[in-house]
Amino acid sequence: MRFVSRILIGVAAATMAAVAAPAVAGATTATTSATTTASSYYEADWGPYFSSDHKSKAEGHVSVDKKPYKFWYWKTFHVKKQICWKDKHGNKHCKWVVEKVKKKVWKWKHHYFYTVDSKLTNTKWWGGKKCAWETFKVVGFDGSTSFKNFRNCTKNPKHYSFSGKNAAHIYVDVSRGGFFGPKSHHSGWQPVYHFS
């Protein structure tokens, strides 16, 4: 009876291994295919940058991933076509003409997904203009401009992060201000990332 039990246990173990192996292989394949869809295009630290009175400091990291997508558009093709007809005497005549034909086609293009991480330090967190501010300016491929503001009114550094896609340029301005916005001691626009 012990011998039979050992055989049954051995068969069960072998069956479990056979079932688990394809599952593991499938998981590996899925992970591989997912990682190949996007590739790291750019990664670097930025800063530190300071307000003009050196009481605010901003620094951080930026990463950009390049992801392909199919871009569909209409394309015009010139097609040569033979046209034939019969005259009033029944004689056949033919000539070649060129026609314009529109067809929907696609090509590979890329989106560039960025993430900006920052650490904002405030060395004067009391009195008037007690907050450190950082303002990010993002210029898109199409020329559009957007802004992101972050503040730190405490003595401990604060960490922030924001993401988007297709940025041609990203800048940061470090300054001092109150609770509701930056007021003075601007650093001016400092580079965080430039598309190349």
Side-chain angles (χ1 to χ4, degrees), residues 163-177:
S163 300
K165 70 178 181 181
N166 299 337
H169 309 284
I170 302 176
Y171 305 94
V172 66
D173 175 52
V174 187
S175 60
R176 300 295 300 170

Side-chain angles (χ1 to χ4, degrees), residues 106-120:
W106 62 269
K107 63 182 177 181
W108 287 113
K109 282 195 171 185
H110 295 88
H111 284 308
Y112 296 84
F113 295 90
Y114 64 83
T115 299
V116 177
D117 299 307
S118 75
K119 182 173 80 170
L120 182 59

Side-chain angles (χ1 to χ4, degrees), residues 149-162:
N149 284 311
F150 302 104
R151 70 169 182 255
N152 181 5
C153 301
T154 67
K155 65 179 179 178
N156 297 317
K158 283 199 171 184
H159 297 268
Y160 297 99
S161 182
F162 67 96

Side-chain angles (χ1 to χ4, degrees), residues 25-162:
T28 304
T29 305
T31 304
T32 304
S33 62
T35 53
T36 54
T37 56
S39 61
S40 182
Y41 172 77
Y42 178 87
E43 196 161 355
D45 293 329
W46 58 268
Y49 299 127
F50 297 86
S51 58
S52 60
D53 63 357
H54 273 247
K55 292 175 182 175
S56 300
K57 180 176 80 168
E59 59 190 317
H61 187 80
V62 58
S63 60
V64 181
D65 288 327
K66 181 180 178 181
K67 188 174 182 180
Y69 70 96
K70 284 183 178 179
F71 175 75
W72 290 90
Y73 64 100
W74 290 99
K75 187 174 181 179
T76 301
F77 295 90
H78 293 83
V79 180
K80 211 171 185 182
K81 185 178 178 183
Q82 190 179 43
I83 297 176
C84 297
W85 70 95
K86 288 184 179 179
D87 61 19
K88 62 182 180 180
H89 303 294
N91 297 320
K92 186 178 179 182
H93 302 276
C94 295
K95 70 173 182 178
W96 289 94
V97 295
V98 176
E99 288 186 350
K100 290 181 179 179
V101 178
K102 281 190 174 181
K103 186 178 178 183
K104 202 168 187 182
V105 296
W106 62 269
K107 63 182 177 181
W108 287 113
K109 282 195 171 185
H110 295 88
H111 284 308
Y112 296 84
F113 295 90
Y114 64 83
T115 299
V116 177
D117 299 307
S118 75
K119 182 173 80 170
L120 182 59
T121 304
N122 183 14
T123 59
K124 181 183 175 292
W125 60 93
W126 64 90
K129 296 179 184 175
K130 63 181 183 178
C131 300
W133 281 86
E134 59 181 358
T135 302
F136 291 93
K137 179 169 73 170
V138 180
V139 181
F141 287 166
D142 59 357
S144 61
T145 304
S146 61
F147 298 89
K148 294 277 185 184
N149 284 311
F150 302 104
R151 70 169 182 255
N152 181 5
C153 301
T154 67
K155 65 179 179 178
N156 297 317
K158 283 199 171 184
H159 297 268
Y160 297 99
S161 182
F162 67 96

